Amino acid sequence: MRPAALAYVNNLTSLVYHLLDENDRYWHNDLIPYNEVWIKIGGDKGGTSFKASFQLVNTNKPNSVTNTCVFTVFEAGDSISNLHIALSRYSSEIETLSLSKWRDKQIRIFISGDYEYLCRTYG
């Protein structure tokens, strides 16, 4: 293991609520329950860096780069130990978010990524 550059958001919960408040136009189209907000949290290694991000799924184009918010990035491989170092700080925040509401809508969290990332994340 060697030192590597790491950048991260200090308060993920505040960032999520800020983007929900800022982006107050949500799409349901009878596919997502009206009383729920779906948030997809994922990660991906590309080139020499790993990025963890979230997307507000209740939007017209949830996979668009304009609906993606990177909350941590580091210059290293996505080994289990690197993921633990970078992402463990968010465990309690993600759990709290998944039990909370925004306005009158229950927040639902989904983890996404390729098979390798999901295996490394879940164990």
Side-chain angles (χ1 to χ4, degrees):
M1 186 157 317
R2 62 180 172 77
L6 167 69
Y8 62 93
V9 168
N10 260 338
N11 191 326
L12 181 60
T13 303
S14 291
L15 179 59
V16 167
Y17 284 131
H18 170 75
L19 291 177
L20 285 168
D21 288 336
E22 184 180 89
N23 205 9
D24 195 14
R25 13 174 235 290
Y26 295 100
W27 171 84
H28 294 274
N29 203 25
D30 296 327
L31 299 174
I32 298 173
Y34 185 75
N35 62 343
E36 294 182 2
V37 171
W38 288 8
I39 298 171
K40 181 171 68 169
I41 296 177
D44 187 46
K45 181 180 180 304
T48 61
S49 66
F50 172 85
K51 292 166 234 34
S53 63
F54 70 88
Q55 297 169 321
L56 305 176
V57 180
N58 302 53
T59 58
N60 192 28
K61 296 179 181 175
N63 294 325
S64 166
V65 71
T66 60
N67 289 327
T68 301
C69 183
V70 174
F71 62 89
T72 194
V73 61
F74 59 85
E75 288 289 327
D78 58 350
S79 67
I80 292 171
S81 58
N82 286 346
L83 291 175
H84 178 74
I85 290 166
L87 301 177
S88 63
R89 73 183 77 246
Y90 298 111
S91 296
S92 64
E93 274 193 275
I94 291 170
E95 184 177 346
T96 301
L97 265 174
S98 72
L99 300 171
S100 66
K101 289 187 174 188
W102 173 74
R103 298 186 181 166
D104 62 335
K105 298 173 182 3
Q106 180 64 47
I107 293 177
R108 301 280 182 224
I109 304 287
F110 299 91
I111 305 299
S112 69
D114 62 21
Y115 182 73
E116 236 179 290
Y117 171 73
L118 293 175
C119 288
R120 289 179 179 156
T121 301
Y122 286 114

